[in-house]
């Protein structure tokens, strides 16, 4: 049997202050492993802008995953539309998809008429509480990107996630589509907050 050793980073605290470091760490691991795609979540575009600045000039293909239209307010896309146009012109892929670990199920669980939790929300909560909020985000963004056809399912990707805003978790993931959720593999947790 063989094994390898790799560097893992632990941020003192979760949050936006780790964003630039997390993106650099993700790019570094991508280079080590020959991975060509990095997925970064961004609600307003602020994290997307930082990711673009940090990755400009690298061979990495940047895929930004945003909240769906109406996530916070009906009919409203929270992402900066002008920034989206600029990023797309620069070759960045931006996708918007329903949160696969809640989506329709959240409508049922939050309804006073139906109530109760769901299995997919239990999976999401386990990721959040046991490992890191950012792991839940990274896994979800990977599923959304695969379902949208923005990434394949045979090659590993670097997927980032965060706690509230920015990014603080970096993973190496072999993607899957949502309907094949259990084929997804988190192969490495490269960085995460140690205290959550």
């Amino acid at each position: 049997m063989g094994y390898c050793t790799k560097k893992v980073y632990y941020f003192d605290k979760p949050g936006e202050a780790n964003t630039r470091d997390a993106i650099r760490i993700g790019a570094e691991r991508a280079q080590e492993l020959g991975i060509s795609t990095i997925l970064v979540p961004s609600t307003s575009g602020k994290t997307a802008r930082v990711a673009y600045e940090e990755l400009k000039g690298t061979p990495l293909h940047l895929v930004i995953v945003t909240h769906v239209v109406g996530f916070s307010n009906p009919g409203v896309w929270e992402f900066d539309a002008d920034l989206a146009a600029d990023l797309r012109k620069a070759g960045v892929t931006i996708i918007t998809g329903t949160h696969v670990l809640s989506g329709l199920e959240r409508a049922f669980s939050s309804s006073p008429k139906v109530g109760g939790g769901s299995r997919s929300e239990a999976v999401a909560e386990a990721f959040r509480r046991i490992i890191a909020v950012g792991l839940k985000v990274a896994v979800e963004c990977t599923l959304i990107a695969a379902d949208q056809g923005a990434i394949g399912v045979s090659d590993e990707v670097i997927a980032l996630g965060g706690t509230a805003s920015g990014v603080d978790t970096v993973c190496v993931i072999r993607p899957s589509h949502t309907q094949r959720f259990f084929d997804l593999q988190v192969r490495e947790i490269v960085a995460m907050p140690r205290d959550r």
Side-chain angles (χ1 to χ4, degrees):
M1 286 184 92
Y3 68 91
C4 64
T5 59
K6 299 198 179 195
K7 191 183 287 188
V8 178
Y9 300 83
Y10 296 101
F11 296 114
D12 293 334
K13 296 194 181 294
E16 187 175 5
N18 303 307
T19 298
R20 284 194 187 276
D21 287 332
I23 293 165
R24 288 181 194 138
I25 290 165
E28 178 184 287
R29 188 57 55 92
Q31 184 178 14
E32 285 175 24
L33 296 174
I35 293 173
S36 60
T37 302
I38 187 164
L39 302 173
V40 176
S42 188
T43 301
S44 66
K46 186 175 178 183
T47 304
R49 184 186 311 276
V50 173
Y52 178 72
E53 290 167 1
E54 289 296 326
L55 300 174
K56 191 164 56 169
T58 73
L60 287 170
H61 176 65
L62 176 58
V63 177
I64 302 296
V65 182
T66 77
H67 280 171
V68 293
V69 172
F71 183 81
S72 293
N73 296 303
V76 176
W77 187 40
E78 299 165 84
F79 201 89
D80 180 320
D82 292 333
L83 176 61
D86 291 344
L87 290 173
R88 286 184 174 121
K89 282 181 195 166
V92 175
T93 301
I94 300 174
I95 60 170
T96 302
T98 300
H99 284 63
V100 298
L101 296 177
S102 58
L104 179 60
E105 297 220 32
R106 187 172 291 156
F108 293 117
S109 64
S110 65
S111 168
K113 292 181 179 178
V114 180
S118 70
R119 289 184 293 188
S120 59
E121 287 181 308
V123 169
E125 193 64 14
F127 283 146
R128 281 188 205 102
R129 301 293 169 218
I130 296 171
I131 304 169
V133 174
L135 178 66
K136 178 262 185 196
V137 174
V139 166
E140 198 161 44
C141 287
T142 302
L143 293 165
I144 293 167
D147 286 351
Q148 298 268 339
I151 59 171
V153 294
S154 56
D155 294 327
E156 294 176 337
V157 298
I158 299 292
L160 282 74
T163 307
S165 59
V167 288
D168 56 22
T169 304
V170 181
C171 304
V172 177
I173 297 179
R174 190 194 69 190
S176 73
H177 296 291
T178 300
Q179 69 180 9
R180 301 204 190 305
F181 173 72
F182 292 108
D183 291 342
L184 182 141
Q185 293 180 12
V186 177
R187 292 190 165 168
E188 297 179 25
I189 298 176
V190 183
M192 64 181 274
R194 194 166 190 288
D195 181 15
R196 298 170 302 286

